[in-house]
Amino acid sequence: MKHILFSLLFVFSLSAFSQILEPVKWTTSVEKISDTEYNLISTAHIDAGWHLYSQTVPDGGPIPTTFIYDNSEENFTINGNTKEGEGHTVQDPVFEMEIKFFEGEATFVQNINLSQATATINGIVEFMVCDDTRCLPPTEIDLEFQLGDKKALTTETKSEVIPAATLEKNIEKTEKSVASKGLWSIFFIAFLSGFAALLTPCVFPMIPMTVSFFTKQSKTKAAGIKNAIIYGISIIVIYVLLGTAVTGIFGASALNALATNVWFNVIFFILLVVFAFSFLGAFEIVLPNSWANKVDSQADRGGLVGIFFMALALAIVSFSCTGPIVGTLLVESASKGGAAPIIGMFGFSLAIALPFALFAAFPGWLNSLPKSGGWLNTVKVVLGFLELALAFKFLSQADLVLQLHILEREVFIAIWIAIFGALAFYLFGKIQLPHDSPLTHISVGRLSLGLIVLSFTIYMIPGLWGAPLNLISAFPPPLEYSESPYGVGFSKLGSGGSASAHGDLPEGAHLLAPHDIMAFNDYDTGLAYAKKVGKPVMLDFTGWACVNCRKMEQNVWPDPGVLNILKNDVVLISLYVDDKRELEPEEVTESQLKPGKQLKYIGQKWSELQTIKYKSNSQPFYVIIDHNEDKLVEPVGYLPDVPDYKAWLEEGVENFKEE
């Protein structure tokens, strides 16, 4: 009884006098579809100013929302993935990736089929929330879904029922919201790629030939224009069907999951390298001649069917030029998931189809077209270099996931410098490839493009020594994933210590890149060292996926005055509340905040320490303590103002000296 009373008093004191935050409340409901089919609905009610992360956060990003449904008794089967409600997708500058999150309210729906009668299904949701100044550690909440009377599957559910039409509408809005930004970029890139494909040797000469055919074979000009438009529409239909087939075969959710799969990225790296070598002239990728002959024979039938087969013949005959571009677009759009392959093929085919319709309507424009020649092969070669560079993006993603450190930032940038440097030499006529025509002079356009590529190559060179390269930040690995994470002179930021200033690092300590600050990740080890050297302790409650923690480390800590204190005047102990490594068996203890549950992970240990001792559960959270573990100054959270943060540090250090 005393234990229960103490627990109640403890919880009351935390809620009444502390900074314990619970910005997300979860409710559950059930929608009955049939006697055996149900939707399990989890709704997150999010306080104003806070946001909850999506289930599909890319690797290296914040902690995603995760649902686990207890099916230990095998009472049901799970159909597909948990659907999400409407959210917001933004390009996060800290994680350098697109991240989706929710505000206000978020709905998650999981469809199941019962195999035997059951009244209740239990689940767990793990999630992470942040506002503009802080993040909370990953939290687990138990979920309970009441299906009704266990004796009969047909019994009405006891919990709130949401109409099926509303659910479908929410799911549809979700898919549109997640993909809208990415789909527009895919369409734009695909549209430009279609124009690039027009300028290849396989497609460009077909424009006057095809337009002339329609204008001569048609009895009137209007009929010629009509047939050319139908021809263009047929081209669009053919490529859109290809995109639809890719989406239909793999499935939208499967494509999205494949985007972070190691083998997906490795296979696509190989494919893009093959496409690139094809464009560079090593070989040609062609479809069987029998296909073209059979399709061409159908084109003679006339009418709408004949026009459609003429468009199909163009797609097959020009495959050696368009195939690598189409393949690259499908690779890139497949990594986005959803309807991206369809949108990509629509943008690509629209760019190809437009000239045929326009030149048929205005045949006089044909006279303004440049003549076919060696410049068409130059376009192919330039595209080949671009595809080769893009290929290493996929290989880099696989290396990051596996943490092999084979394709680190410097290696990636060096490869890109070599590729674009070779492209610049090619444009200047210093390199010739198999299908190039003799180059007697360099045109102004080719010279201008060569200068742009050369400038870009020179721009990338400082990246070998730690320059951020903001123009291409989405492509190479992050700064910390490199051979020299400190970059040029980074270890000498600020006055005072550097790596050598610490001498041999004590046991349990490491240097925190890129600022060269000695830090501990264990509370007891760091405290013991602080007592030994006679310095106060600065506890840094942080998280691997804490955006504002990274902002403090990137924008505030590099200040010379702040950095000097962190290196020389305090002992830094960084405690990661989202550390998913398991505790040693002898360290596993029962949670004081949730009696009956055990602390299994290192992060749970530090999160509970922060909550119980300092009555706060948000990160970043900084505390300066003495050797008796008493606070020397009131703790602070996210404090981006450098003078204020420095003054706080100085106050803590001065109070320690006065003791």
Side-chain angles (χ1 to χ4, degrees):
M1 183 60 123
K2 290 182 178 179
H3 175 74
I4 296 174
L5 182 59
F6 173 78
S7 298
L8 290 173
L9 289 173
F10 177 74
V11 172
F12 174 77
S13 65
L14 286 180
S15 60
F17 305 107
S18 70
Q19 303 177 49
I20 304 302
L21 302 171
E22 294 183 11
V24 180
K25 306 294 189 299
W26 290 88
T27 59
T28 61
S29 57
V30 175
E31 181 204 13
K32 182 177 178 180
I33 307 297
S34 68
D35 288 350
T36 58
E37 185 180 0
Y38 291 82
N39 281 332
L40 308 181
I41 305 162
S42 305
T43 304
H45 306 275
I46 309 164
D47 290 350
W50 292 85
H51 54 265
L52 170 74
Y53 289 110
S54 165
Q55 300 174 93
T56 55
V57 174
D59 289 340
I63 302 298
T65 300
T66 305
F67 291 89
I68 300 174
Y69 303 94
D70 182 9
N71 194 22
S72 55
E73 298 182 4
E74 300 183 353
N75 292 333
F76 60 92
T77 56
I78 295 176
N79 302 321
N81 299 322
T82 302
K83 302 285 187 179
E84 295 184 342
E86 185 175 3
H88 307 277
T89 301
V90 298
Q91 181 68 33
D92 190 278
V94 176
F95 289 105
E96 296 183 347
M97 62 178 68
E98 282 192 350
I99 297 178
K100 177 187 171 186
F101 62 87
F102 304 98
E103 292 179 327
E105 185 173 288
T107 301
F108 302 85
V109 181
Q110 178 62 62
N111 183 260
I112 65 166
N113 280 104
L114 295 184
S115 55
Q116 55 183 305
T118 184
T120 304
I121 292 178
N122 295 314
I124 296 174
V125 58
E126 182 185 29
F127 62 95
M128 177 177 177
V129 290
C130 297
D131 65 4
D132 292 336
T133 63
R134 56 198 163 181
C135 291
L136 303 187
T139 304
E140 285 187 1
I141 297 294
D142 294 327
L143 302 175
E144 183 178 275
F145 303 91
Q146 295 289 340
L147 301 185
D149 190 353
K150 187 173 181 179
K151 296 180 181 179
L153 293 177
T154 56
T155 305
E156 294 296 325
T157 60
K158 298 179 180 179
S159 51
E160 176 191 359
V161 175
I162 297 177
T166 303
L167 288 174
E168 292 298 324
K169 185 178 180 181
N170 287 341
I171 293 170
E172 183 181 351
K173 288 172 67 180
T174 296
E175 293 171 350
K176 291 180 180 178
S177 175
V178 173
S180 59
K181 185 177 179 181
L183 291 181
W184 275 111
S185 64
I186 283 290
F187 175 82
F188 181 70
I189 294 171
F191 192 75
L192 293 180
S193 300
F195 277 123
L198 280 172
L199 303 179
T200 58
C202 311
V203 181
F204 188 79
M206 299 291 290
I207 297 176
M209 293 172 55
T210 306
V211 171
S212 297
F213 172 81
F214 284 124
T215 54
K216 291 178 181 179
Q217 295 297 320
S218 303
K219 296 181 179 179
T220 63
K221 181 180 178 181
I225 295 174
K226 173 187 172 185
N227 290 335
I229 292 175
I230 295 173
Y231 180 76
I233 294 174
S234 299
I235 293 174
I236 294 174
V237 169
I238 290 167
Y239 283 103
V240 169
L241 286 175
L242 177 61
T244 305
V246 170
T247 304
I249 292 171
F250 293 101
S253 59
L255 285 172
N256 194 47
L258 280 174
T260 55
N261 181 274
V262 172
W263 289 112
F264 174 93
N265 285 287
V266 170
I267 291 172
F268 278 2
F269 162 73
I270 296 172
L271 282 176
L272 291 187
V273 169
V274 171
F275 292 156
F277 284 176
S278 173
F279 267 167
L280 294 175
F283 49 82
E284 284 195 353
I285 302 174
V286 294
L287 296 176
N289 288 330
S290 59
W291 292 18
N293 294 333
K294 289 180 180 178
V295 170
D296 193 51
S297 64
Q298 295 295 321
D300 296 332
R301 296 173 58 179
L304 295 179
V305 175
I307 293 175
F308 177 82
F309 277 100
M310 282 186 64
L312 184 57
L314 171 69
I316 293 175
V317 171
S318 64
F319 186 79
S320 60
C321 292
T322 60
I325 300 176
V326 169
T328 304
L329 284 173
L330 288 175
V331 167
E332 183 65 22
S333 58
S335 68
K336 303 293 183 184
I342 300 173
I343 298 299
M345 289 300 93
F346 174 71
F348 177 82
S349 58
L350 181 63
I352 290 182
L354 276 175
F356 290 96
L358 291 175
F359 282 115
F362 306 99
W365 290 4
L366 289 173
N367 298 325
S368 62
L369 285 178
K371 295 182 179 180
S372 300
W375 66 272
L376 293 174
N377 189 69
T378 301
V379 173
K380 278 184 64 177
V381 171
V382 171
L383 292 174
F385 276 108
L386 295 177
E387 291 213 3
L388 189 60
L390 179 62
F392 283 93
K393 171 192 172 186
F394 290 93
L395 186 62
S396 172
Q397 289 175 338
D399 183 63
L400 279 168
V401 172
L402 295 176
Q403 290 290 297
L404 297 177
H405 288 270
I406 295 174
L407 197 62
E408 292 181 317
R409 184 178 177 86
E410 293 92 342
V411 178
F412 183 97
I413 294 173
I415 291 172
W416 267 40
I417 290 173
I419 292 173
F420 284 97
L423 175 57
F425 277 110
Y426 172 79
L427 292 170
F428 291 141
K430 303 301 181 183
I431 297 175
Q432 277 203 322
L433 292 171
H435 301 298
D436 285 331
S437 302
L439 188 65
T440 57
H441 67 280
I442 299 177
S443 66
V444 174
R446 182 165 179 160
L447 176 64
S448 301
L449 182 59
L451 290 173
I452 293 172
V453 174
L454 180 61
S455 300
F456 177 67
T457 304
I458 295 172
Y459 165 79
M460 289 190 290
I461 293 175
L464 295 171
W465 292 277
L469 303 183
N470 292 330
L471 286 179
I472 58 170
S473 60
F475 290 93
L479 284 166
E480 60 268 19
Y481 194 77
S482 60
E483 295 178 7
S484 303
Y486 300 104
V488 177
F490 231 133
S491 61
K492 301 182 183 300
L493 280 176
S495 56
S498 65
S500 59
H502 299 295
D504 294 332
L505 291 175
E507 184 178 356
H510 65 280
L511 293 179
L512 185 65
H515 310 303
D516 199 22
I517 304 170
M518 187 181 71
F520 293 84
N521 291 134
D522 182 77
Y523 183 90
D524 294 329
T525 305
L527 180 61
Y529 179 76
K531 292 178 179 179
K532 179 180 177 181
V533 298
K535 294 180 180 180
V537 170
M538 189 182 100
L539 298 177
D540 167 29
F541 289 97
T542 183
W544 296 112
C546 172
V547 176
N548 291 310
C549 302
R550 301 295 86 78
K551 289 181 180 178
M552 290 292 293
E553 293 161 10
Q554 294 173 12
N555 303 326
V556 178
W557 287 14
D559 175 78
V562 171
L563 196 60
N564 181 53
I565 296 174
L566 294 177
K567 286 183 176 181
N568 301 314
D569 298 335
V570 299
V571 173
L572 178 65
I573 303 178
S574 294
L575 305 176
Y576 289 84
V577 300
D578 56 0
D579 192 330
K580 286 293 186 179
R581 291 177 298 164
E582 293 186 355
L583 289 165
E584 295 295 330
E586 62 273 12
E587 293 183 298
V588 175
T589 59
E590 184 176 328
S591 170
Q592 296 182 43
L593 296 176
K594 298 180 179 180
K597 288 198 172 185
Q598 290 186 325
L599 302 179
K600 299 178 182 179
Y601 304 111
I602 293 175
Q604 292 176 328
K605 176 182 176 181
W606 303 138
S607 177
E608 185 146 309
L609 171 68
Q610 179 190 355
T611 303
I612 293 175
K613 191 160 187 175
Y614 301 108
K615 300 178 176 59
S616 174
N617 64 344
S618 64
Q619 291 79 43
F621 189 75
Y622 306 105
V623 190
I624 300 179
I625 61 173
D626 60 18
H627 297 162
N628 296 320
E629 304 179 53
D630 295 326
K631 293 182 294 185
L632 292 167
V633 63
E634 282 303 308
V636 297
Y638 180 63
L639 189 61
D641 187 271
V642 173
D644 288 349
Y645 190 77
K646 181 184 176 185
W648 175 80
L649 286 171
E650 290 172 341
E651 182 181 354
V653 173
E654 287 300 318
N655 290 342
F656 177 79
K657 292 178 180 178
E658 293 174 0
E659 285 190 344

